[in-house]
Coordinates of all heavy atoms in Angstrom, one line a residue:
Chain A
Q6 N 127.1 0.3 173.4 CA 127.5 -0.4 172.2 C 128.0 0.7 171.3 O 127.2 1.4 170.7 CB 126.4 -1.2 171.6 CG 125.9 -2.3 172.5 CD 124.7 -3.1 172.0 OE1 123.6 -2.9 172.5 NE2 124.9 -3.9 171.0
L21 N 130.4 -8.6 167.8 CA 129.7 -7.4 168.3 C 130.1 -7.1 169.8 O 130.3 -8.1 170.6 CB 128.2 -7.6 168.3 CG 127.6 -7.8 166.9 CD1 127.2 -9.3 166.7 CD2 126.4 -6.9 166.7
W35 N 122.4 -11.1 175.4 CA 122.3 -10.6 174.1 C 121.0 -10.9 173.5 O 120.4 -12.0 173.6 CB 123.4 -11.2 173.2 CG 124.8 -10.6 173.4 CD1 125.8 -11.1 174.2 CD2 125.3 -9.4 172.9 NE1 126.9 -10.3 174.2 CE2 126.6 -9.3 173.4 CE3 124.8 -8.5 172.0 CZ2 127.5 -8.2 173.0 CZ3 125.6 -7.4 171.6 CH2 126.9 -7.3 172.1
Y36 N 120.5 -9.9 172.8 CA 119.2 -10.0 172.1 C 119.3 -9.6 170.6 O 120.2 -8.8 170.3 CB 118.1 -9.1 172.7 CG 117.6 -9.6 174.0 CD1 118.3 -9.4 175.2 CD2 116.4 -10.2 174.1 CE1 117.8 -9.8 176.4 CE2 115.8 -10.7 175.3 CZ 116.6 -10.5 176.4 OH 116.1 -10.9 177.6
K37 N 118.5 -10.3 169.8 CA 118.4 -9.9 168.4 C 117.1 -9.3 168.1 O 116.1 -9.8 168.6 CB 118.6 -11.2 167.5 CG 118.5 -11.0 166.0 CD 119.0 -12.2 165.3 CE 118.1 -13.4 165.3 NZ 118.5 -14.5 164.4
K38 N 117.0 -8.3 167.3 CA 115.7 -7.7 167.0 C 115.6 -7.4 165.5 O 116.4 -6.8 164.8 CB 115.6 -6.4 167.7 CG 114.2 -5.7 167.6 CD 114.1 -4.4 168.3 CE 112.7 -3.8 168.1 NZ 112.3 -3.7 166.7
Y39 N 114.5 -8.0 164.9 CA 114.1 -7.7 163.6 C 113.1 -6.6 163.6 O 112.4 -6.3 164.6 CB 113.4 -8.9 162.9 CG 114.4 -10.1 162.7 CD1 114.1 -11.4 163.3 CD2 115.5 -10.0 161.9 CE1 114.9 -12.4 163.1 CE2 116.3 -11.1 161.7 CZ 116.0 -12.3 162.3 OH 116.9 -13.4 162.1
L47 N 119.0 -14.3 172.8 CA 120.0 -15.2 172.1 C 120.8 -16.0 173.1 O 120.8 -17.2 173.0 CB 121.0 -14.3 171.3 CG 120.5 -13.8 169.9 CD1 121.6 -12.9 169.4 CD2 120.3 -15.0 169.0
F62 N 126.6 -19.1 168.3 CA 126.8 -17.9 169.1 C 127.6 -18.2 170.3 O 127.4 -19.2 171.1 CB 125.4 -17.4 169.6 CG 124.5 -17.1 168.4 CD1 123.6 -18.1 167.9 CD2 124.5 -15.9 167.8 CE1 122.7 -17.8 166.9 CE2 123.6 -15.6 166.8 CZ 122.8 -16.5 166.3
L75 N 129.9 -10.7 171.5 CA 129.1 -11.7 170.9 C 129.8 -12.1 169.6 O 130.0 -11.3 168.7 CB 127.7 -11.3 170.7 CG 126.8 -12.3 170.0 CD1 126.5 -13.5 170.8 CD2 125.5 -11.7 169.5
I77 N 129.5 -14.5 166.3 CA 128.6 -15.4 165.4 C 129.4 -16.0 164.3 O 130.0 -15.3 163.5 CB 127.5 -14.5 164.8 CG1 126.8 -13.7 165.9 CG2 126.5 -15.4 164.1 CD1 125.7 -12.7 165.3
G83 N 120.4 -14.4 157.4 CA 119.3 -14.3 158.3 C 119.7 -13.7 159.7 O 118.9 -13.4 160.5
D84 N 121.0 -13.6 159.9 CA 121.5 -13.0 161.1 C 121.4 -11.4 161.1 O 121.6 -10.7 162.1 CB 123.0 -13.3 161.4 CG 123.2 -14.8 161.7 OD1 122.2 -15.5 162.2 OD2 124.2 -15.4 161.3
S85 N 121.2 -10.9 159.9 CA 121.0 -9.4 159.7 C 119.9 -8.9 160.6 O 118.7 -9.3 160.4 CB 120.8 -9.1 158.3 OG 121.9 -9.5 157.5
A86 N 120.2 -8.1 161.6 CA 119.3 -7.6 162.6 C 120.0 -6.6 163.4 O 121.2 -6.3 163.2 CB 118.8 -8.8 163.4
V87 N 119.3 -6.0 164.4 CA 119.9 -5.2 165.4 C 120.1 -6.0 166.6 O 119.2 -6.8 167.1 CB 119.0 -4.0 165.8 CG1 119.6 -3.1 166.9 CG2 118.7 -3.1 164.5
Y88 N 121.3 -5.9 167.2 CA 121.7 -6.7 168.3 C 121.9 -5.8 169.5 O 122.6 -4.8 169.5 CB 123.0 -7.5 168.1 CG 122.8 -8.6 167.1 CD1 122.7 -8.4 165.7 CD2 122.7 -9.9 167.5 CE1 122.5 -9.4 164.8 CE2 122.4 -11.0 166.7 CZ 122.3 -10.7 165.3 OH 122.1 -11.7 164.4
F89 N 121.2 -6.2 170.6 CA 121.3 -5.4 171.9 C 122.0 -6.3 172.9 O 121.7 -7.5 173.1 CB 119.9 -5.1 172.4 CG 119.1 -4.1 171.6 CD1 118.2 -4.5 170.6 CD2 119.3 -2.7 171.8 CE1 117.5 -3.6 169.9 CE2 118.6 -1.8 171.0 CZ 117.7 -2.2 170.1
C90 N 122.9 -5.7 173.7 CA 123.4 -6.3 174.9 C 122.6 -5.7 176.1 O 122.1 -4.6 176.0 CB 124.9 -6.2 175.1 SG 125.4 -4.5 175.3
T105 N 122.6 0.5 173.3 CA 121.9 1.2 172.2 C 121.7 0.4 170.9 O 121.1 0.9 170.0 CB 122.6 2.5 171.9 OG1 124.0 2.2 171.7 CG2 122.5 3.5 173.1
G106 N 122.3 -0.8 170.9 CA 122.2 -1.6 169.7 C 123.2 -1.4 168.6 O 123.8 -0.4 168.4
T107 N 123.5 -2.5 167.9 CA 124.4 -2.5 166.7 C 123.6 -3.2 165.6 O 123.1 -4.3 165.8 CB 125.7 -3.3 167.0 OG1 126.4 -2.6 168.0 CG2 126.5 -3.4 165.7
R108 N 123.5 -2.5 164.5 CA 122.9 -3.1 163.3 C 123.9 -3.9 162.6 O 124.9 -3.4 162.0 CB 122.3 -2.0 162.4 CG 121.5 -2.6 161.2 CD 120.9 -1.4 160.4 NE 119.9 -0.7 161.2 CZ 118.7 -1.0 161.4 NH1 118.2 -2.1 160.9 NH2 117.9 -0.2 162.2
L109 N 123.6 -5.2 162.5 CA 124.5 -6.2 161.7 C 123.9 -6.4 160.4 O 122.7 -6.8 160.3 CB 124.7 -7.5 162.5 CG 125.4 -8.6 161.8 CD1 126.9 -8.2 161.5 CD2 125.3 -9.9 162.6

Side-chain angles (χ1 to χ4, degrees):
Chain A
Q6 294 175 255
L21 297 108
W35 282 96
Y36 284 81
K37 177 169 74 173
K38 186 183 180 304
Y39 293 121
L47 277 175
F62 302 93
L75 175 69
I77 308 174
D84 296 329
S85 297
V87 177
Y88 288 78
F89 291 95
C90 63
T105 49
T107 297
R108 182 177 300 278
L109 173 66

